[in-house]
């Protein structure tokens, strides 16, 4: 685990967009704002390498020296997210082909083919040169490879690499035919050469039937493999640079900035070769605060709860949303502490100085176009900088411990949404958000875990819509529940294996024994319609009827008991919520997509029975988390409300690390304000 000396504070800085005359003024302003880390050079490849054989590091040397002499740390970027134009012209294999088969020309950024030999050669060479040059610079704190990898390609080189990837995985074409179910529509192949990249020219297409703007495919097994292969291919670009840097600076952590739930890239797989995780987050103005909390929890979960970096946020507005509102006073500070409250070790911005031209000229920055410190945004940034300096190393390295986890599988996400049925209204991440939000709003900490994490660390594991059951997963879940764990899953689970081939064991297939049910049919509900869930109050601690929709599984009890039944339709009276005692634990099945109130009541009831509770009770809209280090507990209280709100403490004495005020019994906290309490012993 990498630990920084304090919560580092700063962000993306593009000195190469400005004349040198401004650099010293920038540094004065950074110091004024207590900024102690800058990320650079993120997009400077063209400046660093004017031609195939010439490099120009002079300007970067100067800026690196300035940072060192001013005690500002550098998150050193490798600049490989946008190749120089000469490279695209001279080595056309660098340019990608899009899903419609159109070869791209030079332009934009992350506009390169991940399987281009030349891209890989030149990017690794640049990363090597940067590491050789700056490995002894005292400012170097962390490496930042590329930037927001996003590039997917369908060119001939990719098709060739795909065949190689498949050969390694399946050994022979008969196996491919089997795994992709190629008897369907007479797709049987006889040689590797028959396999192409999986694009709109082959097995992909747009969803013209439902009128929904989404990719569809007739061959899910094949499309899933292309997605896996592409995620791996892009990852190899990252890995090439990672290995080169690691050799030269083995003790400097390496990261690349992730984008939360970015579907095409399997971050759960990527994270294994990231020394520290980092997140870019740009919430929409009225976004529920649980969405950011979930992304932070995802980042923390990618490396077993290790602290992560909050790499990018805007100090105020962005430029690319439909309407780019300012962040109102206090909101940037609140969102920064929210990241720390969930495990971040940095607060960083895109960007430190606002660009003069091109598409990000109206994107918020610490230093505005006017160039001085007398702005609201600068004052807010500098206030936060002072606070983070005051915190020192108190919080750094502390961890969050949760009893509840939501289990997510990235490939399951791909598979659910490729599945061509049963409803376009089933969105995997929305389901995750819904479950997370319910528990998060109770101020109970939730970890986001993968199939490879240790289930036994948790009292409760929830895995909504676990459609794809990979090998061994049912065994792991069975042993978890058998040993006393509580497992909850939902409708549309246990249907297929990792190749999207449907189980013949009766749904939910491999999970049937654990859940003690058999799902006979699956109904999809029109958005204008609902069913109801009628709770059997004798079996569960609350009584009510709730609406449900999206999907209704029609199921039979095997070993399980019904805790609620459908209220409508021809399956009225059949189970919609079941509980199965399995060894020392229990497994619940929620057979439809319930209204939020149901989840609130269900989890309140469940948690009260197994003694999972919030550290302190508080008004709605207050977020409470705890980070722990040794015997120290740091309680974060964040007021997302527009009004003052109240939290009840106990009668122990607490000190707010931000203001040194002492509290006990209760706190009335101002709108958008934050407290970080430490126990006073
Ligand atoms: C991303 C990128 C940055 C910048 C911001 C703008 O996060 O990494 O380079 O473009 O978006 O919001
Ligand atoms: Zn390609």
């Amino acid at each position: 685990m990498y630990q920084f000396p304090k919560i580092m504070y700063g962000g993306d800085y593009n000195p190469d967009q400005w004349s040198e005359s401004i650099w010293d003024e920038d540094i004065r302003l950074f110091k004024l704002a207590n900024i102690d880390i800058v990320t650079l050079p993120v997009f400077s490849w063209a400046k660093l390498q004017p031609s195939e054989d010439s490099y120009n590091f002079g300007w970067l040397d100067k800026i690196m020296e300035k940072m060192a002499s001013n005690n500002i740390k550098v998150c050193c970027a490798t600049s490989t997210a946008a190749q120089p134009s000469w490279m695209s012209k001279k080595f056309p294999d660098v340019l990608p082909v899009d899903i419609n088969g159109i070869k791209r020309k030079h332009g934009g950024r992350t506009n390169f083919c991940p399987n281009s030999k030349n891209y890989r050669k030149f990017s690794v060479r640049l990363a090597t040169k940067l590491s050789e040059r700056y490995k002894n610079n005292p400012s170097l704190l962390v490496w930042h490879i590329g930037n927001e990898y996003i590039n997917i390609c369908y060119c001939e080189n990719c098709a060739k690499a795909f065949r190689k990837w498949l050969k390694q995985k399946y050994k022979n074409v008969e196996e491919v035919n089997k795994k992709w179910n190629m008897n369907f529509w007479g797709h049987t192949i006889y040689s590797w050469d028959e396999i192409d990249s999986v694009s709109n020219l082959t097995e992909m297409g747009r969803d013209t039937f439902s009128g929904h703007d989404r990719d569809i495919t007739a061959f899910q097994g094949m499309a899933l493999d292309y997605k896996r292969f592409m995620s791996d291919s892009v990852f190899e670009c990252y890995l090439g640079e990672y290995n080169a840097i690691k050799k030269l600076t083995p003790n400097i952590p390496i990261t690349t900035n992730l984008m939360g739930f970015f579907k095409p890239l399997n971050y759960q797989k990527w994270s294994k070769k990231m020394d520290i995780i980092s997140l870019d987050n740009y919430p929409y103005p009225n976004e529920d605060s649980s969405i950011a909390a979930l992304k932070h929890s995802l980042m923390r979960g990618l490396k077993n709860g290790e602290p992560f970096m909050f790499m990018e946020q805007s100090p105020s507005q962005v430029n690319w949303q439909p309407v780019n509102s300012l962040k109102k006073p206090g909101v940037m500070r609140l969102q920064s502490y929210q990241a720390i409250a969930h495990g971040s070790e940095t607060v960083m911005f895109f960007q430190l100085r606002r660009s003069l031209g091109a598409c990000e000229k109206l994107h918020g920055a610490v230093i505005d176009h006017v160039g001085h410190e007398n702005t609201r945004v600068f004052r807010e940034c500098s206030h936060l900088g002072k606070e983070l300096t005051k915190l020192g190393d108190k919080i750094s390295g502390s961890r969050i411990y949760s009893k509840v986890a939501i289990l997510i599988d990235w490939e399951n996400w791909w598979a659910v949404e490729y599945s061509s049925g049963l409803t376009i209204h089933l969105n995997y991440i929305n389901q995750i958000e819904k479950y997370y939000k319910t528990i998060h709003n109770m101020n109970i900490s939730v970890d986001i875990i993968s199939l490879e994490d240790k289930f036994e660390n948790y009292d409760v594991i929830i895995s909504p819509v676990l459609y794809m059951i990979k090998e061994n997963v049912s065994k792991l879940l069975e042993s978890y529940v058998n040993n006393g764990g509580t497992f909850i899953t939902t409708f549309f689970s246990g249907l297929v294996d990792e190749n999207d081939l449907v189980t013949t064991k009766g749904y939910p297939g491999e999970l049937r024994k654990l859940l003690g049910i058999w799902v006979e049919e699956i109904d999809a509900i029109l958005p204008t319609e609902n069913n109801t869930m009628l709770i059997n109050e004798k079996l569960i601690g609350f009584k009510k009827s709730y609406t449900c929709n999206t999907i209704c599984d029609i199921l039979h009890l095997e070993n399980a008991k019904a805790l609620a039944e459908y209220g409508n339709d021809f399956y009225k009276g059949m189970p919609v919520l079941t509980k199965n005692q399995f060894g020392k634990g229990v497994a619940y099945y929620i057979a439809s997509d319930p209204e939020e109130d149901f989840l609130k009541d269900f989890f309140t009831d469940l948690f009260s029975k197994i003694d999972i509770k919030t550290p302190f009770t508080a008004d709605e809209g207050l977020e409470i988390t705890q980070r722990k280090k040794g015997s120290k507990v740091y309680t974060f209280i964040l007021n997302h409300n527009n009004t003052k709100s109240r939290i009840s403490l106990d009668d122990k004495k607490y000190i707010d690390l931000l203001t040194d005020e002492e509290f006990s019994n209760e706190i009335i906290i101002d709108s958008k304000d934050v407290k970080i309490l430490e126990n006073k012993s």
Side-chain angles (χ1 to χ4, degrees):
M1 181 179 106
Y2 284 91
Q3 194 178 322
F4 297 133
K6 64 175 272 286
I7 305 290
M8 301 302 294
Y9 189 53
D12 277 30
Y13 176 46
N14 302 305
D16 48 323
Q17 288 181 19
W18 301 86
S19 70
E20 279 189 44
S21 58
I22 223 164
W23 294 358
D24 288 333
E25 173 62 0
D26 284 339
I27 289 174
R28 180 186 76 81
L29 291 167
F30 294 166
K31 302 208 97 153
L32 198 60
N34 277 266
I35 282 171
D36 45 32
I37 186 165
V38 297
T39 302
L40 57 82
V42 183
F43 290 105
S44 310
W45 199 347
K47 187 147 186 164
L48 291 168
Q49 191 180 1
S51 69
E52 188 178 349
D53 300 309
S54 65
Y55 287 86
N56 164 21
F57 291 107
W59 65 276
L60 188 55
D61 290 349
K62 274 194 211 157
I63 203 88
M64 290 293 283
E65 275 154 30
K66 276 187 195 293
M67 293 306 155
S69 58
N70 282 283
N71 238 334
I72 296 174
K73 295 292 177 198
V74 175
C75 171
C76 195
T78 60
S79 252
T80 51
Q83 74 274 13
S85 145
W86 61 258
M87 192 181 295
S88 304
K89 296 264 178 226
K90 194 162 177 186
F91 303 98
D93 72 298
V94 167
L95 292 170
V97 167
D98 74 13
I99 194 165
N100 294 312
I102 296 170
K103 173 89 173 166
R104 299 266 316 162
K105 291 192 172 187
H106 185 80
R109 62 182 188 183
T110 41
N111 185 30
F112 57 85
C113 161
N115 285 300
S116 152
K117 288 209 168 64
N118 282 306
Y119 173 82
R120 291 209 188 165
K121 179 179 88 186
F122 286 120
S123 57
V124 170
R125 191 193 282 173
L126 181 59
T128 308
K129 283 189 184 289
L130 287 165
S131 336
E132 280 165 351
R133 202 161 186 104
Y134 301 117
K135 63 175 191 255
N136 295 322
N137 185 302
S139 275
L140 178 64
L141 189 72
V142 47
W143 285 104
H144 173 306
I145 296 182
N147 191 70
E148 293 193 340
Y149 282 98
I150 203 168
N151 44 311
I152 306 301
C153 181
Y154 304 85
C155 75
E156 286 306 320
N157 281 333
C158 284
K160 212 163 122 196
F162 184 43
R163 288 189 285 270
K164 198 168 150 205
W165 185 92
L166 290 169
K167 269 185 209 168
Q168 251 164 28
K169 182 168 179 181
Y170 296 118
K171 312 291 184 258
N172 56 62
V173 282
E174 291 73 40
E175 192 63 9
V176 175
N177 282 321
K178 218 162 94 193
K179 296 297 189 197
W180 292 354
N181 201 35
M182 298 289 263
N183 286 330
F184 183 76
W185 288 353
H187 270 50
T188 305
I189 53 167
Y190 294 95
S191 81
W192 292 106
D193 302 344
E194 293 172 58
I195 298 174
D196 221 317
S197 59
V198 186
S199 73
N200 286 351
L201 303 184
T202 61
E203 302 292 359
M204 300 299 296
R206 299 305 287 170
D207 183 1
T208 46
F209 296 113
S210 77
H212 258 73
D213 187 28
R214 58 178 198 146
D215 292 329
I216 54 167
T217 177
F219 281 83
Q220 283 85 11
M222 182 193 297
L224 278 173
D225 272 338
Y226 201 72
K227 261 200 155 18
R228 290 179 176 121
F229 156 74
M230 255 307 136
S231 177
D232 287 358
S233 300
V234 182
F235 178 65
E236 273 171 30
C237 295
Y238 164 84
L239 197 59
E241 293 189 41
Y242 178 97
N243 290 334
I245 294 171
K246 213 35 161 203
K247 247 188 253 159
L248 290 153
T249 58
N251 299 321
I252 304 286
I254 303 174
T255 191
T256 182
N257 45 349
L258 307 182
M259 293 166 281
F261 289 98
F262 181 66
K263 195 172 171 186
L265 305 179
N266 184 347
Y267 287 161
Q268 289 179 320
K269 204 167 170 193
W270 278 51
S271 56
K272 299 204 173 68
K273 277 282 179 182
M274 291 177 68
D275 298 334
I276 186 162
I277 300 294
S278 58
L279 171 71
D280 295 352
N281 190 33
Y282 294 93
Y284 285 84
N286 288 323
E287 194 177 283
D288 192 272
S289 59
S290 68
I291 303 284
L294 169 59
K295 288 186 196 164
H296 296 312
S297 302
L298 172 71
M299 294 297 114
R300 186 177 76 237
L302 288 176
K303 280 194 101 58
N304 296 314
E306 285 183 19
F308 60 93
M309 297 175 75
F310 189 19
M311 183 67 87
E312 284 185 28
Q313 67 169 336
S314 175
S316 187
Q317 67 212 138
V318 297
N319 64 286
W320 47 263
Q321 291 175 353
V323 176
N324 298 287
S325 306
L326 295 173
K327 282 189 185 165
K328 297 196 190 328
V331 170
M332 176 280 291
R333 174 175 177 266
L334 180 67
Q335 292 175 346
S336 304
Y337 281 116
Q338 190 187 25
I340 301 173
H342 286 275
S344 176
E345 297 277 289
T346 71
V347 172
M348 294 165 75
F349 300 110
F350 178 85
Q351 51 196 335
L352 295 186
R353 185 183 269 277
R354 216 166 189 176
S355 310
L356 282 184
C359 65
E360 284 170 347
K361 63 183 184 295
L362 296 182
H363 192 293
V366 176
I367 307 169
D368 213 328
H369 290 138
V370 71
H372 59 58
E373 62 264 46
N374 304 313
T375 63
R376 174 185 72 91
V377 169
F378 189 91
R379 277 191 297 275
E380 288 195 31
C381 290
S382 116
H383 175 75
L384 177 59
K386 249 185 229 119
E387 287 183 339
L388 297 179
T389 302
K390 179 171 157 41
L391 276 178
D393 66 355
K394 283 225 154 169
I395 311 288
S396 309
S398 59
R399 312 259 306 218
I400 290 168
Y401 298 92
S402 311
K403 291 181 171 174
V404 180
I406 294 183
L407 171 63
I408 292 184
D409 180 48
W410 223 268
E411 297 187 350
N412 179 59
W413 178 12
W414 297 340
V416 167
E417 292 172 20
Y418 266 162
S419 99
S420 187
L422 292 169
T423 166
I424 56 163
H425 300 291
L426 175 53
N427 175 306
Y428 183 60
I429 300 304
N430 288 349
Q431 290 295 319
I432 302 295
E433 286 169 354
K434 192 167 162 177
Y435 280 78
Y436 182 89
K437 180 180 170 191
T438 304
I439 303 169
H440 169 78
N441 284 354
M442 297 160 79
N443 284 319
I444 287 169
S445 178
V446 186
D447 282 356
I448 303 297
I449 60 168
S450 78
L451 291 169
E452 292 177 18
D453 287 314
K454 288 206 178 89
F455 296 171
E456 67 266 24
N457 289 348
Y458 300 95
D459 294 346
V460 178
I461 295 180
I462 306 146
S463 193
V465 197
L466 192 56
Y467 163 81
M468 173 185 277
I469 302 293
K470 296 175 175 164
E471 222 184 314
N472 275 330
V473 167
S474 59
K475 290 209 179 62
L476 291 173
L477 289 171
E478 281 176 9
S479 108
Y480 164 72
V481 178
N482 196 28
N483 291 326
T486 297
F487 176 64
I488 298 151
T489 187
T490 73
F491 62 92
F492 214 59
S493 288
L495 262 68
V496 300
D497 69 6
E498 71 168 76
N499 294 98
D500 205 63
L501 295 173
V502 177
T503 178
T504 51
K505 295 182 178 168
Y507 319 140
E510 301 289 325
L511 299 180
R512 189 168 166 182
K513 195 167 128 214
L514 173 63
L515 295 162
I517 55 168
W518 169 48
V519 174
E520 184 181 348
E521 289 185 271
I522 308 172
D523 199 8
I525 307 291
L526 291 171
T528 47
E529 290 174 1
N530 280 322
N531 206 315
T532 47
M533 304 169 74
L534 307 175
I535 305 294
N536 181 342
E537 79 274 24
K538 282 189 210 121
L539 296 173
I540 199 163
F542 59 99
K543 181 195 174 211
K544 223 174 146 180
S545 116
Y546 303 88
T547 59
C548 59
N549 49 34
T550 319
I551 277 187
C552 293
D553 280 349
I554 304 176
L555 63 89
H556 305 276
L557 300 174
E558 293 185 328
N559 194 43
K561 288 200 171 74
L563 304 183
E565 58 190 44
Y566 286 112
N568 303 319
D569 218 321
F570 71 92
Y571 38 95
K572 180 176 172 180
M574 292 183 79
V576 60
L577 172 67
T578 66
K579 176 182 179 182
N580 193 36
Q581 187 74 40
F582 189 90
K584 290 192 221 138
V586 274
Y588 290 92
Y589 193 73
I590 304 175
S592 184
D593 184 14
E595 61 173 296
E596 286 185 10
D597 266 0
F598 165 80
L599 294 182
K600 212 165 130 191
D601 293 344
F602 174 78
F603 284 109
T604 306
D605 181 62
L606 178 70
F607 293 155
S608 73
K609 284 178 184 146
I610 52 180
D611 199 33
I612 292 179
K613 47 179 184 279
T614 171
F616 300 111
T617 51
D619 288 349
E620 213 171 290
L622 284 197
E623 181 175 354
I624 306 169
T625 72
Q626 293 189 319
R627 289 182 64 160
K628 298 182 182 161
K629 185 155 80 169
S631 59
K632 291 280 179 198
V633 179
Y634 301 102
T635 303
F636 289 76
I637 308 163
L638 311 161
N639 186 1
H640 295 285
N641 296 324
N642 291 323
T643 51
K644 278 183 195 293
S645 305
R646 179 175 175 279
I647 170 169
S648 311
L649 305 173
D650 45 34
D651 55 8
K652 291 195 193 103
K653 283 207 168 90
Y654 295 91
I655 183 146
D656 173 17
L657 297 181
L658 300 175
T659 59
D660 296 329
E661 281 172 284
E662 268 187 32
F663 295 99
S664 48
N665 299 315
E666 70 160 21
I667 306 182
I668 308 293
I669 174 168
D670 284 339
S671 161
K672 311 297 172 202
D673 200 6
V674 177
K675 303 266 171 239
I676 308 176
L677 304 185
E678 184 184 311
N679 280 42
K680 221 185 145 202
S681 42

